[in-house]
């Protein structure tokens, strides 16, 4: 029996973006029709602010991880809040989404005018990003790599962020019980069950991501490419994807943890290891240029993986991605992006950085809080 042809991935596109009282924008709009969108202009003009606004159309605090209060337009009273709105086209079906902050309240999310949760946004568009702040990922702190790992996992497992938050709350409660001298084992049992439930789900999602992304990276390397292959791994105490086993570890380690005043075992202790495959060495020992190329390769491989697993193309935000690439590698990057089929928003100080894109991109000049179509 012949198998049915696989269904082509749904193309996801942000066709319209609106910013209100957000960062340096009083009010700004952008309409995009092509797969690639270029934002160029002088440093400090607000290019990254546009990408940050788009990143808030996904769960979490966006690509800068700033407080929501910090996003209110500079000089405006905090009570005015801010808003980001967009229209997302998925295979011809349009969805209106928006998020924002009003006064001292919490973040608001709406989908087609109805109240929604941040987790619901992943079902509309999976938004991935690469920023200059991530350049030191391989040599920086463990928490930065863990956060990067969780952002990658979130694109495949929409409830990963919710589970991570629930795990953190339960862990803080357990640590507080140690601090307060609580001795009732029943109290610990209840909290540890919650930690085991959410922590094992986190560990399973991370492991699933690493296995699938390594496989995707290997395929990409076998078919050629201009960015080096990275091999990802989990090191340190990665927790346990087996809930009952993790629960036993928590019970058995209760005395040790009480003495330390904190939980010494679990997914909050994991580290992401990355190896430069061709050179067979840790990414942390690679040159700055090699580390940048490895990071780009991981992000491109992840975008391809997201498309294959979800059968939907993601939206990529690449901040200053071309600044330190030579012309040949820039052209190769743009060709790779074209092959991915994902919509890509890129920033740079000069439009000439994107010459190799030709007429494949919508171009916008960003200056003094204004976004203007260019050419």
């Amino acid at each position: 029996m012949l198998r049915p042809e696989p269904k082509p991935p749904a193309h996801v596109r942000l066709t319209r973006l609106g910013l209100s009282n957000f960062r340096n924008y009083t009010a700004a709009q952008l309409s995009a029709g092509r797969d690639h969108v270029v934002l160029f202009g002088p440093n400090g003009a607000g290019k990254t602010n546009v990408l940050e606004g788009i990143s808030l159309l996904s769960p979490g605090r966006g690509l800068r991880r700033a407080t929501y209060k910090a996003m209110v337009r500079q000089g405006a009273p905090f009570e005015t809040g801010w808003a980001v709105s967009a229209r997302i086209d998925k295979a011809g079906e349009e969805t209106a989404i928006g998020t924002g902050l009003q006064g001292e309240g919490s973040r608001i999310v709406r989908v087609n005018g109805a109240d929604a949760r941040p987790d619901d946004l992943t079902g509309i568009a999976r938004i991935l990003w690469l920023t200059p702040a991530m350049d030191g990922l391989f040599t920086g702190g463990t928490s930065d790599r863990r956060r990067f790992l969780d952002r990658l996992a979130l694109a495949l497992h929409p409830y990963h962020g919710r589970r991570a938050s629930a795990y953190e709350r339960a862990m803080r409660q357990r640590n507080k019980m140690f601090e307060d001298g609580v001795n009732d084992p029943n109290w610990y049992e209840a909290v540890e069950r919650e930690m085991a439930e959410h922590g094992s789900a986190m560990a399973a999602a991370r492991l699933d991501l690493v296995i699938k992304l390594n496989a995707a990276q290997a395929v990409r390397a076998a078919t050629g490419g201009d960015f080096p292959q990275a091999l990802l791994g989990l090191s340190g105490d990665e927790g346990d994807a087996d809930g009952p086993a993790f629960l036993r570890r928590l019970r058995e380690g209760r005395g040790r943890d009480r003495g330390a005043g904190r939980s010494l075992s679990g997914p909050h202790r994991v580290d992401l290891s990355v190896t430069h495959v061709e050179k067979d060495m840790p990414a942390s020992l690679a040159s700055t240029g090699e580390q940048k190329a490895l990071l780009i390769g991981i992000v491109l491989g992840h975008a391809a993986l997201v498309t294959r697993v979800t059968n939907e193309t993601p939206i990529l935000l690449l901040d200053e991605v071309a600044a330190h690439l030579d012309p040949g590698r820039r052209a190769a990057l743009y060709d790779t992006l074209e092959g991915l089929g994902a919509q890509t928003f890129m920033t740079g100080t000069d439009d000439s950085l994107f010459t190799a894109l030709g007429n494949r991109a919508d171009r916008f000049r960003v200056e003094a809080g204004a976004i203007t179509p260019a050419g």
Side-chain angles (χ1 to χ4, degrees):
M1 178 181 289
L2 293 176
R3 292 184 179 181
E5 287 293 324
K7 185 179 179 182
H11 284 73
V12 180
R13 299 289 181 270
L14 187 155
T15 58
R16 183 184 180 279
L17 176 72
L19 304 173
S20 178
N21 277 322
F22 182 79
R23 294 293 189 181
N24 66 324
Y25 294 98
T26 302
Q29 293 185 359
L30 177 155
S31 296
R34 291 185 171 90
D35 284 352
H36 307 296
V37 179
V38 168
L39 305 166
F40 67 93
N43 290 325
K47 303 183 296 295
T48 304
N49 293 344
V50 176
L51 299 192
E52 182 181 28
I54 298 173
S55 73
L56 290 167
L57 300 172
S58 64
R61 300 212 315 260
L63 57 79
R64 281 193 178 108
R65 287 188 54 78
T67 64
Y68 296 138
K69 183 176 180 179
M71 299 173 191
V72 177
R73 180 173 58 84
Q74 298 141 6
F78 172 63
E79 293 76 16
T80 61
W82 54 265
V84 176
S85 61
R87 291 192 177 274
I88 303 292
D89 182 282
K90 182 186 296 187
E93 183 177 340
E94 191 173 73
T95 302
I97 60 177
T99 187
L101 183 70
Q102 294 181 351
E104 297 287 345
S106 58
R107 178 184 176 187
I108 297 169
V109 174
R110 291 199 174 97
V111 176
N112 289 328
D115 290 340
R117 301 181 62 167
D119 286 344
D120 297 331
L121 296 173
T122 305
I124 300 168
R126 286 168 169 82
I127 301 175
L128 319 174
W129 57 78
L130 177 62
T131 71
M134 295 159 64
D135 286 354
L137 183 73
F138 306 128
T139 56
T142 303
S143 61
D144 291 335
R145 286 187 293 276
R146 194 160 46 239
R147 191 175 301 120
F148 176 72
L149 173 68
D150 285 335
R151 282 301 313 180
L152 297 183
L154 183 63
L156 300 182
H157 302 273
Y159 297 108
H160 183 67
R162 186 185 302 180
R163 289 164 178 156
S165 296
Y167 174 82
E168 289 287 336
R169 284 194 301 270
M171 182 177 65
R172 285 196 299 268
Q173 184 178 352
R174 184 172 183 259
N175 292 347
K176 185 68 166 56
M177 288 161 61
F178 290 144
E179 180 184 339
D180 293 343
V182 174
N183 292 312
D184 188 338
N186 292 322
W187 286 29
Y188 285 102
E189 182 72 17
V191 174
E192 287 165 357
R193 283 187 178 278
E194 190 170 353
M195 287 179 65
E197 176 189 350
H198 298 296
S200 60
M202 289 173 62
R206 287 168 170 174
L207 182 60
D208 178 67
L209 165 75
V210 167
I211 292 172
K212 289 177 177 175
L213 186 51
N214 282 339
Q217 290 279 74
V219 169
R220 187 177 61 83
T223 56
D226 291 272
F227 297 93
Q229 180 186 356
L231 180 67
L232 280 64
L234 300 175
S235 61
D237 184 349
E238 61 266 23
D240 200 319
D242 181 340
F246 186 25
L247 180 58
R248 285 194 300 272
R249 290 175 59 196
L250 289 170
R251 288 170 179 160
E252 293 167 359
R254 195 180 298 165
R256 179 198 61 178
D257 292 351
R258 184 194 300 275
R262 66 187 188 279
S263 299
L264 298 176
S265 176
H268 63 288
R269 305 277 291 182
V270 72
D271 195 4
L272 173 67
S273 64
V274 179
T275 301
H276 189 309
V277 172
E278 288 84 351
K279 294 198 170 183
D280 190 24
M281 69 177 183
S284 59
L285 300 181
S287 70
T288 301
E290 288 172 328
Q291 289 180 5
K292 180 73 172 183
L294 278 167
L295 191 54
I296 292 174
I298 291 172
V299 171
L300 294 177
H302 182 242
L305 174 63
V306 168
T307 300
R308 181 174 63 80
V309 171
T310 68
N311 211 39
E312 297 178 2
T313 59
I315 295 173
L316 282 173
L317 312 178
L318 304 178
D319 194 17
E320 300 288 350
V321 70
H324 302 293
L325 299 179
D326 60 57
R329 185 158 270 182
R330 281 203 299 267
L333 170 63
Y334 302 150
D335 288 343
T336 300
L337 292 172
E338 185 80 8
L340 283 175
Q343 187 182 35
T344 308
F345 288 77
M346 291 173 275
T347 67
T349 54
D350 196 313
D351 189 29
S352 64
L353 291 168
F354 307 98
T355 300
L357 274 171
N359 62 2
R360 294 178 289 178
D362 288 327
R363 288 173 162 79
F364 297 87
R365 176 178 293 279
V366 180
E367 196 163 9
I371 305 171
T372 308

